[in-house]
Amino acid sequence: MNIIEIIEKKKAGKELTTEEIYYFIEGITNDYIKDYQASALLMAVCLKGMNYRETYDLTMAMRYSGDIMNLSQIGRTVVDKHSTGGIGDKTTLIVGPVMAALDVPVAKMSGRGLGITGGTIDKLDSIPGFSSDVSDEDFIRLVKTVGMVDAAQTKNLAPADKFLYALRDVTATVDSLPLIASSIMSKKLASGADCIVLDVKCGSGAFMKDKESAAELARVMIDIGKRARKKCVAVISDMNQPLGYTVGNSLEVEEAMLFLSGIVQNPRLKKLVIALCIEMYKLSDKYCPDTDSKSFKSDAEIEELICETIDSGKALEKFREFAEAQGGDLSFVDDFIEGCREAFDSQVDYMLGVDYDGLVERIFYMDDDPAFIEAIDAETVGRMSLLLGAGRIRKEDDIDLGAGIVLNKVVGDRVERGDLLATLYSNNKRSLTSAVRLLSKAYTYSETVSDRMSEGIIIETLV
Ligand code: URA
């Protein structure tokens, strides 16, 4: 077997055998296939595609290229949740503690943000002292004792994916469905959870721009999960507008805590949180028939449990326990929440970002005619948060954990002259000035409430 024949074969649009795919992954892992050859094959896959069987083989070959977590010692069904990446997506920070507070063990390995999409590990890094560097033993101990863990991927988890992802980033081969699906699923399968709920984002701020391609990505990932004997469900959710009120690392942690405290719950974020939690619950070992009626809980009953867990403060308490178990100092939380509660009671603007010691700019609605916000383009907001310093263009870039955007008004809100639309935080004066100018262009308005505004966040759930 040789790599040139394999590249030729895929270039001609032919199906690769299991052996050829494993040969390729072993070759890049052991350095006898060079990166220029790997790049050529990636481009051929990008142009000619892969069928479900090839995509599964590629996933498993990458999964087995490094360490595999064995979570069987936990002795429970362990659930994981993964988002394909969006703008303002802080759902993991909410869903994890809610599930753990409901006694559903959550074992999660998260990534850092790259490009316009954020990453949970960067968000968690904004909590003073928090460490996402967790040993395998601690990973298991934390799931057993706290009920949840969120760790950065260990160096040797799916190393072939790490190598290929870096190459894809610089060879215009990121946006290939089989490459995205195998990249995500190789890491999910290597990190060992029994069940996976996938949040497949769809829209201008996501990899998948339209519903059809998002649904196809979801189907491919579910197929991989099933072939690997994992229970897998995908929720396709809208990413044409940012999720919630904030974009930026510490701002999103603050919003997640306000959500868990029940003070500020953006309705679209709440719908997504509930949809994901319901699916996670239904995959878990808590979802058993009731001893009296012998029937399973309905979605409405599970939703009630989820809301009760938040309203009672149990989920916020679990967030605190989880963050502190990983070294986080949450002593600021009580004051922060109390301050926000008072700010709300006295109808003052709320307190997100008040501790930021950089520069702050505000965008106002300046038209004389009142209007409704019809859209806020997620991709533009993502680009602006990158410009402000909240994200990184290259993996090694430093980020400003406090930088970002608060959307003081969101899609569907009515605005009149002088209303505050958004607040921007950055340490870089020039970037801030450009961001203010460009962000204004992300907004479109309408005189009446249109159908577009009432479109829901959940597009489809695939099992
Ligand atoms: N996330 C990944 O881990 N890999 C991709 O290819 C895309 C998103």
Side-chain angles (χ1 to χ4, degrees):
M1 208 175 296
N2 85 55
I3 185 64
I4 302 169
E5 282 168 16
I6 297 175
I7 299 169
E8 287 281 7
K9 201 169 163 187
K10 190 39 81 184
K11 189 175 79 174
K14 294 190 183 140
E15 183 178 340
L16 301 181
T17 64
T18 304
E19 292 71 29
E20 286 165 336
I21 290 170
Y22 274 79
Y23 172 81
F24 168 60
I25 294 300
E26 271 163 32
I28 57 162
T29 310
N30 298 309
D31 209 26
Y32 56 82
I33 291 176
K34 298 297 163 200
D35 54 4
Y36 46 85
Q37 295 171 314
S39 305
L41 185 58
L42 289 173
M43 185 55 83
V45 172
C46 233
L47 299 175
K48 300 293 177 177
M50 274 185 157
N51 64 24
Y52 278 30
R53 198 271 310 148
E54 289 174 290
T55 310
Y56 171 70
D57 286 340
L58 180 61
T59 309
M60 296 309 266
M62 292 201 289
R63 176 200 194 190
Y64 287 120
S65 66
D67 298 340
I68 297 188
M69 289 290 290
N70 177 1
L71 304 184
S72 61
Q73 300 167 50
I74 294 169
R76 296 274 312 272
T77 301
V78 176
V79 187
D80 190 359
K81 169 250 162 202
H82 182 83
S83 152
T84 57
I87 316 296
D89 182 9
K90 67 280 297 172
T91 49
T92 294
L93 303 174
I94 302 170
V95 161
V98 170
M99 284 292 103
L102 283 170
D103 189 31
V104 172
V106 179
K108 190 152 168 44
M109 282 198 188
S110 295
R112 297 191 180 278
L114 189 63
I116 63 168
T117 60
T120 305
I121 294 300
D122 291 330
K123 300 176 214 260
L124 288 168
D125 271 354
S126 72
I127 300 173
F130 187 92
S131 171
S132 54
D133 186 7
V134 178
S135 68
D136 290 2
E137 297 71 42
D138 283 345
F139 192 85
I140 288 167
R141 180 183 57 77
L142 290 167
V143 180
K144 277 182 166 173
T145 54
V146 178
M148 77 170 283
V149 62
D150 202 337
Q153 276 158 37
T154 54
K155 280 198 186 64
N156 206 34
L157 191 98
D161 171 65
K162 235 171 245 160
F163 173 85
L164 288 183
Y165 195 84
L167 266 190
R168 286 167 59 209
D169 211 26
V170 291
T171 55
T173 51
V174 169
D175 61 343
S176 148
L177 205 145
L179 295 180
I180 295 175
S182 56
S183 165
I184 293 174
M185 292 304 285
S186 63
K187 289 172 292 213
K188 291 288 106 186
L189 296 177
S191 60
D194 306 291
C195 312
I196 307 157
V197 173
L198 298 160
D199 177 10
V200 180
K201 304 286 189 196
C202 163
S204 78
F207 279 115
M208 298 295 144
K209 304 291 178 203
D210 58 71
K211 202 169 141 180
E212 290 67 36
S213 48
E216 183 52 15
L217 177 62
R219 279 192 288 271
V220 177
M221 291 197 290
I222 291 174
D223 180 78
I224 295 169
K226 288 194 171 151
R227 286 175 194 247
R229 299 184 195 286
K230 302 282 177 184
K231 290 199 244 168
C232 212
V233 172
V235 174
I236 301 175
S237 67
D238 176 73
M239 194 26 81
N240 281 306
Q241 54 176 296
L243 186 58
Y245 297 116
T246 57
V247 181
N249 299 294
S250 63
L251 292 169
E252 292 187 42
V253 171
E254 289 177 356
E255 184 177 357
M257 286 184 306
L258 287 184
F259 188 105
L260 289 169
S261 68
I263 300 178
V264 182
Q265 293 185 334
N266 174 275
R268 296 175 80 250
L269 178 59
K270 186 167 184 179
K271 274 192 193 152
L272 182 59
V273 163
I274 288 174
L276 294 171
C277 285
I278 289 176
E279 297 308 328
M280 288 172 85
Y281 192 89
K282 282 160 75 174
L283 293 182
S284 77
D285 55 18
K286 298 294 286 181
Y287 187 54
C288 307
D290 188 291
T291 37
D292 300 330
S293 63
K294 295 272 181 278
S295 63
F296 286 93
K297 282 191 180 62
S298 66
D299 286 6
E301 285 169 324
I302 303 172
E303 180 171 343
E304 217 172 286
L305 279 181
I306 293 162
C307 293
E308 193 275 325
T309 305
I310 297 172
D311 297 345
S312 63
K314 286 183 204 148
L316 180 63
E317 209 32 61
K318 189 51 82 176
F319 181 92
R320 195 192 297 266
E321 194 188 340
F322 142 72
E324 285 175 353
Q326 291 188 226
D329 174 5
L330 285 188
S331 51
F332 69 98
V333 169
D334 291 334
D335 285 349
F336 168 70
I337 289 176
E338 219 26 66
C340 288
R341 216 184 285 281
E342 279 169 19
F344 266 96
D345 289 348
S346 56
Q347 300 292 301
V348 198
D349 221 333
Y350 53 89
M351 294 184 43
L352 290 165
V354 285
D355 288 339
Y356 188 59
D357 57 8
L359 305 164
V360 181
E361 281 282 359
R362 293 181 169 81
I363 301 179
F364 297 93
Y365 180 74
M366 294 311 288
D367 203 301
D368 283 337
D369 297 324
F372 290 92
I373 300 177
E374 184 175 43
I376 306 175
D377 181 54
E379 184 175 2
T380 309
V381 176
R383 287 197 189 293
M384 289 318 97
S385 75
L386 195 59
L387 185 65
L388 294 171
R392 52 173 81 74
I393 296 169
R394 289 166 308 153
K395 274 199 166 123
E396 54 280 10
D397 291 347
D398 283 335
I399 55 174
D400 176 357
L401 292 167
I405 301 164
V406 173
L407 299 167
N408 301 86
K409 298 275 185 231
V410 292
V411 173
D413 283 349
R414 184 177 181 278
V415 284
E416 44 187 79
R417 190 178 175 81
D419 279 349
L420 178 62
L421 292 176
T423 314
L424 287 75
Y425 302 85
S426 180
N427 268 303
N428 186 322
K429 177 92 184 97
R430 276 179 62 190
S431 300
L432 197 58
T433 310
S434 321
V436 167
R437 196 166 25 87
L438 294 168
L439 187 63
S440 313
K441 298 193 177 137
Y443 291 76
T444 46
Y445 300 96
S446 112
E447 283 175 18
T448 50
V449 181
S450 73
D451 287 352
R452 206 168 148 198
M453 294 176 202
S454 54
E455 273 170 16
I457 171 107
I458 308 299
I459 298 170
E460 202 178 348
T461 299
L462 301 175
V463 182

